[in-house]
Amino acid sequence: MNEEKKFVVKEVYAILPGEGQLGEGMFYKHLWKLPIPSKVKGLISRGTHNHLQTMGNLKKGKIIDDTTSFECISCNSSIEITTHLLFKCKFSYSIGARCYEWYGDERVLPADYFNHFWQHRGNINGKKTILAWGAVWASVIWALWKHRNDIKFNGVSRNLGVAMDALKHRAWTWCKANIHGFNSSLYVWSLDLANYLAQLI
Ligand SMILES: [Zn+2]
């Protein structure tokens, strides 16, 4: 077994139930290497520590009072806490599912950061492919938080298509700027993601 395959086995092992610590430690190693802006790494890191200013956290910290609605702005059916906002909400789940459609795949999406990431990571091979695919995952998280803020503070309407287009474009921009040899056009990236990633290596 070569070094690359050993690495992949170790990665896949990290997603097994009961291996939360391993999955968590490896998660941050991957996060710091991703070809994404530091502000996005910061957002994701804050989220894993439950430090995002969700309505649930603002209420818990008594920064908002009981008269303020602390429900999720996308579905109005649950308290806006991090795991709901990013993973459990129907809107968030739909964004994740649409991403796998884009890739030509279908997966059940876990409702927590680490397992969600490892599920996304899967058993993809190739250093640059892993980085680009990881940037897609980060772009989903960033898009969900940004879309939530646009709805809340800028009066934007919830729109799956707009959020999807924005996250595809954003991930492409990050990869183009930070992965040597990444030369896909936005057109190819948007329409033929799996084939482009397969040859990126
Ligand atoms: Zn919701």
Side-chain angles (χ1 to χ4, degrees):
M1 186 180 284
N2 65 29
E3 282 308 304
E4 186 175 278
K5 281 185 180 163
K6 273 186 197 168
F7 180 70
V8 170
V9 169
K10 197 174 169 188
E11 303 276 317
V12 172
Y13 187 67
I15 71 172
L16 295 175
E19 296 297 331
Q21 289 303 315
L22 179 57
E24 190 174 330
M26 290 294 284
F27 169 82
Y28 290 111
K29 281 188 182 174
H30 274 255
L31 176 62
W32 306 138
K33 287 180 189 168
L34 288 181
I36 60 177
S38 52
K39 66 180 179 183
V40 180
K41 292 178 185 175
L43 174 86
I44 293 171
S45 179
R46 286 202 304 284
T48 61
H49 293 99
N50 195 23
H51 289 164
L52 292 183
Q53 291 200 328
T54 59
M55 298 309 283
N57 276 343
L58 292 177
K59 186 173 173 61
K60 201 163 73 178
K62 301 193 189 312
I63 294 164
I64 54 173
D65 59 31
D66 288 342
T67 60
T68 308
S69 168
F70 53 94
E71 290 184 336
C72 168
I73 204 161
S74 282
C75 67
N76 290 317
S77 65
S78 182
I79 298 173
E80 189 198 60
I81 57 173
T82 306
T83 48
H84 174 84
L85 181 68
L86 299 178
F87 307 116
K88 286 185 186 169
C89 182
K90 277 183 186 170
F91 181 72
S92 315
Y93 199 93
S94 298
I95 291 275
R98 285 279 285 271
C99 255
Y100 293 110
E101 273 176 34
W102 173 31
Y103 183 65
D105 202 351
E106 196 178 338
R107 300 182 193 185
V108 175
L109 306 179
D112 70 276
Y113 260 100
F114 305 118
N115 287 320
H116 197 276
F117 176 79
W118 291 118
Q119 177 80 308
H120 177 90
R121 167 67 175 76
N123 57 0
I124 283 176
N125 288 308
K127 194 175 170 188
K128 290 178 184 176
T129 307
I130 291 168
L131 290 177
W133 186 230
V136 169
W137 183 82
S139 188
V140 170
I141 303 293
W142 182 259
L144 288 170
W145 182 247
K146 192 169 184 319
H147 202 54
R148 173 259 192 199
N149 288 338
D150 281 345
I151 295 169
K152 209 167 187 64
F153 304 118
N154 300 327
V156 169
S157 300
R158 188 184 66 168
N159 188 313
L160 198 63
V162 168
M164 276 305 297
D165 287 345
L167 80 85
K168 287 178 183 177
H169 181 264
R170 206 171 284 119
W172 174 78
T173 305
W174 295 340
C175 291
K176 204 168 158 53
N178 300 310
I179 299 178
H180 183 71
F182 183 94
N183 58 6
S184 173
S185 65
L186 180 58
Y187 180 79
V188 168
W189 174 253
S190 299
L191 292 182
D192 203 12
L193 178 68
N195 280 331
Y196 182 73
L197 288 182
Q199 60 83 47
L200 184 61
I201 306 175

